[in-house]
């Protein structure tokens, strides 16, 4: 070989200096790589010097051509042993094989069996060296023959003049062999013009892999197997160099990781990354930082590219790439250590863009352009089109979520460290998005609905393994998790029945130990539901309200367009109209998309199963035995169990149960099972009656809402999902009615600024549940028994019921009177336009008021009728009976008296007003109490509204329209006569008393006191019945607002004696006068 080294040789030798020699293949195919790697003066060594290029020695002397290398060997970290370029003779031949040929893809295929892969065999007299040359040429597309550009199958070949020259210079046969393979690969890969080195090498990898797998085992094949094994190893090493050191092939550093593009290709593609390739990478990544870094960098680039994609784009290759990578624990550990996996200080809105997994979870049908494509022109679409689009949307999302679950499962199972990082990522998503449940949510400052729903669904599915129907693993959910350095942040969350200071004190006591995986997933899933799917449910409700408002505004603007015709403002008006229409269109598209995502039977059934576990877990906390449902609850738990633990739980634990089941009752009732219904009923009753557990009445009202939605009539179920259960479950028949009545009292103050109106909505739901169970005699029997022993409770309930009846009846009839007047005024054709518009707006307001209050009136009067029938004594107590009589008389006067003409309105059914139903209902209340003397006297004593002629008119109306049976009408007439007699007697008694001293009069009612008491703070004497009635609604002294209880009043015995003496004196005078009149007569 000439001593003068060309520039090309210098460059080539500098590249080779990064390599060590390949193991020699000696006789019998045995490798001497181990010995060669240990020998410092081995003939296989290739040194690197700055100015002197090494030469490849083909002599058998074994003398090194250059000094030992002074630079680190890059193969030492890749698992590549030193390679002996010095070619040793390999003896032996392969057995003859007929009819074989090299396939175009590099494999050796039998001509007699097309389509079937066969092992590479030499022709009958082909030597191992010739087979090796042919096989390596086919695999690596390398030729040492000048002018040959394609093989026999038309595949391109790359000429390696440098390798040929070196072999000729060393007087070696011009053949490819393992000894010169790395030099050939480097020379060809460095000289490619239109193909990148990694593209070329990955195709070589696929070809050598196919041959290696197809090689038959056996003694005669050992040498060939070893050749392919070495070729496979060397090819893999150069693939890694092409990824980590592209400059080795005279390539400039690429702008992105070379591996990224190949990960996105089909693994079966010649340029794609297959699982075998990733297996080799995984093995080498354990010890080689550069391999780990290149792989992590590639995954990071995948994530960055995916963040700008949507469900409409070709995102699946990215998902498949990550799915393939996470199959290997070593790669998972590397990826989860990426700085992008849990970047510090990431904002909530950036989690789905700037964390490694975020872009994979953001793919959703709820992305803006996706909703528009699935539901374009939504106002013109029929229900069938929308339903089909939602079905297609769900199928796409379910497939994607299955892939996400597979990815997460592999990460969790790879190692403890990767599992902890995965849990930390989930914790980051929920903790950072607490603002999603705010009253006014800025979508730009939180994660998107689609992202959070995906997170929730994946966590739900991670709970599947421990959520069996028998609750066998519920004991694994640790009560003390939240006091054991939890991942979930709950400090700012409102607690069930503890203020901030009490909560902080409770959670400041840390419980020792580590939480198990089941507890971690359980509490993460609870939080994800709150900030994910339940937040989306709430947003859907609000969206529907906003859309109704926008549509009404649009209609109103369209009706006013004529005002701007032929004016300069028309163009501006039309632009504004177009903006409104676009907002409605976008809102409808998003609404349909959200419904498509949430109306998924499978995910909602899984979600409900999780909520069942939450229900049972919360009941077990307050259960003194902590083993519900194995041991059934027999009575409501009022002061048992770990109450402090329960009181310090976040409110959203209960809120999410309510929200989840309400959504399912409303939209997907068919997914509910009987077992879940039993536990739900027990849960609702327990915490409705156990007041000390939940502080916020508005929060507790959700439990009533659950029962209310549960009794909605369904197809084939007239009493809904829960109706039959409420009438048969012993726990319900023993406790439900009392629980509802108790909460009816508590909800008087909900703690919100809208509590006055909230209580009517809540009580409406209570009435519906009571109506559902009232036909069951067991409930009425229990109610009667309890009313006799718990008088104070029933008096409070009756008082509030009377307050409601009085208020809603008054508001309803007043609104109808105003409607009557406005309708009359609008009949005037001479009224000007502005006045007409004002009156129309006023009419619309009164119509809404009348409709709302009239519905409440009908239900409240119906309840009054039921309870006066069952609890007549409670309604005729001194502190109640006069108010009841006054209210009934007032409304009879409104319905049949002189003012009834003011209630005549057009289309009265529009306002739920039916006087032919309302009047008989009120009369039934009278009849329920007809046998109570105190009630008869109270009606007669009503000096404002009691009018005998009203009773006669009511009798005539009922007879004329046949509103009641003849027997009931006769009873009503008889009751009217009794009222007349009582009125006469009362008037006579008042006349007999004459002028009553002021000190004997009640200071509030101005009536003669019967049982005067002294108020301890104000020292005022007042009748006991009056102050009892006052305290039912106001717990303060009416004269100085000091707190007051009925037990605190002091009997005024002296005044009572005076009053009795006064009455006796007047009565005595009357007797004397009557006697004198009789005598004189």
């Amino acid at each position: 070989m000439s001593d003068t080294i060309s520039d090309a040789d210098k460059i080539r030798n500098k590249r080779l200096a990064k390599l060590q020699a390949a193991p020699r293949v000696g006789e019998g195919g045995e490798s001497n790589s181990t010995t060669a790697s240990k020998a410092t003066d081995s003939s296989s060594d290739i040194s690197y010097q700055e100015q002197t290029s090494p030469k490849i020695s083909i002599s058998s002397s074994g003398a090194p051509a250059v000094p030992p290398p002074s630079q680190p060997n890059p193969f030492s970290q890749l698992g590549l042993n030193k390679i002996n370029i010095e070619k040793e003779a390999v003896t032996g031949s392969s057995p003859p094989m007929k009819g074989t040929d090299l396939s175009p893809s590099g494999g050796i295929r039998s001509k007699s069996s097309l389509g079937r892969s066969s092992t590479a065999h030499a022709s009958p007299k082909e030597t191992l060296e010739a087979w090796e040359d042919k096989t390596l040429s086919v695999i690596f597309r390398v030729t040492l023959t000048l002018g040959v550009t394609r093989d026999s199958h038309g595949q391109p070949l790359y000429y390696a003049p440098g390798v040929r020259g070196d072999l000729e210079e060393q007087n070696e046969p011009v053949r490819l062999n393992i000894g010169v393979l790395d030099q050939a690969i480097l020379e060809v890969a460095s000289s490619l013009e239109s193909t990148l080195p990694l593209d070329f090498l990955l195709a070589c990898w696929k070809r050598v892999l196919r041959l290696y797998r197809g090689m038959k085992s056996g003694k005669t094949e050992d040498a060939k197997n070893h050749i392919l094994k070495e070729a496979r190893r060397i090819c893999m090493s150069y693939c890694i160099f092409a990824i980590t050191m592209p400059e080795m092939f005279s390539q400039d550093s690429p702008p992105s990781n070379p591996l990224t593009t190949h990960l996105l290709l089909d693994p079966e593609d010649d340029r794609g990354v297959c699982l075998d390739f990733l297996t080799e990478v995984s093995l080498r990544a354990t010890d080689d930082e550069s391999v780990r870094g290149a792989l992590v960098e590639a995954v990071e680039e995948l994530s960055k590219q995916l963040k700008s994609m949507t469900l409409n784009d070709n995102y699946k290759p990215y998902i498949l790439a990550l799915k393939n990578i996470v199959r290997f624990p070593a790669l998972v550990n590397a990826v989860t250590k990426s700085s992008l996996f849990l970047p510090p200080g990431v904002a909530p809105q950036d989690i789905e863009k700037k964390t490694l997994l975020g872009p994979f979870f953001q793919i959703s049908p709820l992305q803006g352009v996706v909703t528009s494509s699935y539901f374009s022109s939504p106002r013109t679409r029929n229900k069938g089109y929308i339903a089909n689009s939602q079905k297609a949307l769900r199928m796409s999302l379910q497939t994607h979520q299955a892939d996400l679950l597979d990815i997460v499962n592999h990460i969790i199972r790879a190692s403890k460290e990767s599992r902890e990082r995965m849990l930390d990522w989930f914790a980051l998503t929920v903790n950072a998005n607490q603002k999603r449940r705010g009253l006014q949510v800025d979508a730009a400052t939180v994660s998107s609905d689609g992202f959070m729903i995906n997170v929730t669904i994946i966590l739900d599915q991670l709970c599947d393994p421990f959520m069996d129907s028998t609750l066998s693993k519920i004991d694994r959910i640790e009560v003390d998790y939240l006091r054991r350095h939890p991942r979930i942040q709950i400090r700012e969350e409102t607690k069930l029945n503890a203020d901030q200071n009490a909560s902080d004190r409770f959670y400041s006591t840390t419980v020792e130990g580590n939480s198990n995986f089941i507890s971690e997933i359980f509490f993460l899933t609870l939080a994800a539901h709150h900030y994910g799917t339940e937040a989306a449910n709430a947003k859907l409700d609000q969206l529907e309200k906003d859309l109704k408002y926008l549509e009404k505004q649009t209609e109103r603007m369209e009706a006013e367009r004529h005002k701007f015709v032929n004016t300069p403002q028309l163009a501006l008006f039309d632009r504004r109209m177009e903006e409104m229409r676009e907002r409605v269109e976008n809102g409808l598209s998003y609404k349909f998309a959200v419904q498509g995502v949430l109306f998924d039977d499978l995910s909602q059934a899984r979600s409900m199963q999780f909520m069942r576990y939450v229900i049972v877990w919360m009941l077990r906390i307050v259960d003194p035995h902590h083993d519900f449902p194995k041991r059934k609850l027999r009575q409501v738990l009022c002061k048992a169990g770990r109450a402090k633990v329960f009181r310090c739980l976040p409110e959203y634990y209960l809120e999410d149960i309510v929200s989840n089941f309400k959504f399912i009752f409303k939209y997907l009732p068919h997914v509910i099972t009987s077992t879940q219904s039993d536990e739900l009923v027990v849960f609702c009753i327990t915490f409705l009656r156990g007041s000390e557990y939940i502080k916020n009445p508005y929060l507790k009202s959700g439990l009533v809402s659950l029962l209310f939605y549960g009794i909605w009539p369904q197809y084939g179920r007239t009493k809904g999902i829960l109706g039959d259960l409420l009438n048969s479950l012993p726990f319900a028949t023993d406790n439900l009615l009392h629980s509802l009545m108790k909460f009816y009292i508590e909800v008087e103050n909900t703690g919100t600024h809208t509590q006055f109106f909230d209580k009517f909505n809540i009580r409406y739901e209570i009435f519906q549940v009571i109506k559902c169970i009232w036909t069951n005699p067991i409930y009425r029997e229990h109610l009667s028994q309890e009313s006799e022993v718990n008088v104070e409770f029933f008096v409070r309930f009756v008082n509030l019921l009377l307050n409601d009846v009085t208020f809603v009846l008054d508001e309803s009839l007043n609104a109808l009177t105003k409607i009557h007047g406005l309708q009359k005024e609008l009949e005037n054709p001479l009224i000007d336009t502005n006045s007409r518009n004002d009156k129309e707006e006023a009419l619309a307001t009164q119509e809404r008021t009348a409709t709302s209050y009239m519905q409440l009136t009908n239900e409240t009067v119906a309840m009054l009728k039921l309870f006066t029938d069952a609890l007549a004594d409670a309604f005729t107590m001194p502190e109640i009976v006069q108010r009841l009589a006054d209210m009934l008389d007032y409304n009879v006067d409104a319905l049949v008296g002189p003012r009834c003409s003011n209630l005549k309105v057009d289309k009265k059914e529009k306002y739920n007003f039916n006087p032919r139903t309302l009047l008989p209902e009120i009369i039934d209340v009278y009849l329920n109490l007809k046998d109570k003397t105190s009630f008869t006297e109270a009606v007669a004593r009503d000096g404002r509204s009691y009018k005998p002629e009203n009773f006669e008119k009511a009798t005539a109306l009922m007879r004329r329209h046949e509103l009641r049976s003849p027997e009931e009408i006769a009873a009503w007439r008889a009751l009217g006569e009794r009222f007349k007699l009582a009125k006469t007697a009362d008037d006579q008694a008042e006349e007999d008393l004459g002028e009553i001293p002021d000190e004997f009069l009640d200071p509030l009612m101005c009536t003669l006191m019967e049982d005067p008491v002294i108020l301890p703070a104000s020292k005022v004497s007042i009748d006991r019945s009056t102050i009892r009635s006052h305290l039912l609604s106001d717990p303060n002294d009416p004269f100085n607002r000091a707190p007051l209880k009925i037990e605190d009043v002091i009997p005024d015995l002296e005044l009572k004696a005076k009053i009795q003496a006064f009455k006796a004196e007047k009565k005595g005078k009357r007797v004397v006068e009557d006697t004198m009149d009789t005598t004189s007569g």
Side-chain angles (χ1 to χ4, degrees), residues 52 106 111 168 172 211 452 488 737 771 807 852 874 889 955 1020 1054:
T52 305
K111 293 180 179 178
E168 289 175 344
E172 285 285 331
L211 279 176
M452 291 302 297
I488 303 301
L737 187 54
K771 284 169 65 177
F807 176 80
S852 176
D889 291 342
T955 302
V1020 175
E1054 181 180 354

Side-chain angles (χ1 to χ4, degrees), residues 51 87 264 311 336 367 456 531 560 628 894:
Q51 304 298 329
K87 181 74 171 65
L264 296 175
L311 194 69
T336 55
Q367 293 169 292
T456 308
Y531 305 117
E560 295 178 353
F628 177 83

Side-chain angles (χ1 to χ4, degrees), residues 63-83:
V66 291
S70 60
Q71 297 294 329
N73 176 15
F75 279 152
S76 64
Q77 295 181 346
L78 295 174
L80 185 65
N81 295 328
K82 295 182 179 180
I83 302 174

Side-chain angles (χ1 to χ4, degrees), residues 215-226:
M215 180 62 67
K216 293 181 179 179
S217 60
K219 183 176 181 181
T220 58
E221 302 292 338
D222 288 345
K224 296 178 182 180
N225 184 70
H226 187 80

Side-chain angles (χ1 to χ4, degrees), residues 824-944:
K824 286 292 184 183
E825 292 177 12
L826 288 170
E827 290 176 359
N828 182 4
L830 302 178
I831 189 172
D832 63 88
T833 303
N834 291 334
S835 297
R836 180 174 293 275
N837 290 337
D838 292 341
K839 293 184 184 300
E840 285 177 348
E841 289 183 4
L843 177 62
T845 300
Q846 292 302 323
E847 285 179 338
R848 288 193 297 270
T849 301
T851 302
S852 176
Y853 279 120
M854 204 66 231
Q855 186 178 18
L856 286 171
T857 295
N858 295 332
E859 296 299 331
T860 310
V861 171
M863 283 300 102
L864 183 64
K865 174 184 172 182
L866 293 179
F867 278 97
T868 52
D869 181 38
L871 301 172
D873 289 337
F875 283 88
T876 53
M877 296 184 69
E879 54 266 40
I880 295 294
V881 67
Q882 191 59 56
R883 291 184 55 235
L884 173 61
D886 293 348
M887 182 272 295
L888 293 173
D889 291 342
Y890 176 81
N891 287 290
V892 168
D893 184 56
L895 290 173
V896 303
R899 296 178 299 157
C900 68
S901 59
N902 295 331
L903 300 179
K904 293 181 179 180
V905 296
D906 297 334
K907 299 179 181 180
K908 56 181 178 295
E909 64 277 358
K910 175 181 177 181
Y911 316 116
N912 301 310
F913 177 49
N914 187 349
R916 295 184 184 181
T917 300
L918 181 60
L919 177 62
E921 291 278 289
I922 293 176
I923 289 175
D924 285 342
V925 176
Y926 279 98
L927 294 176
N928 288 340
L929 304 175
K930 67 181 186 299
D931 296 328
K932 302 297 180 181
T933 303
S934 59
F935 175 69
T936 304
E937 294 174 348
V939 170
R941 198 178 297 126
D942 177 14
R944 183 185 67 164

Side-chain angles (χ1 to χ4, degrees), residues 363 529 538 857:
I363 298 295
H529 269 276
T857 295

Side-chain angles (χ1 to χ4, degrees), residues 28 30 39 55 304 308 312 436 439 538 547 728 784 931 1016:
E30 294 179 359
K55 298 179 181 179
K304 291 175 182 177
S308 60
N312 288 345
R436 278 178 56 84
L439 294 177
L547 283 172
S728 60
S784 177
D931 296 328

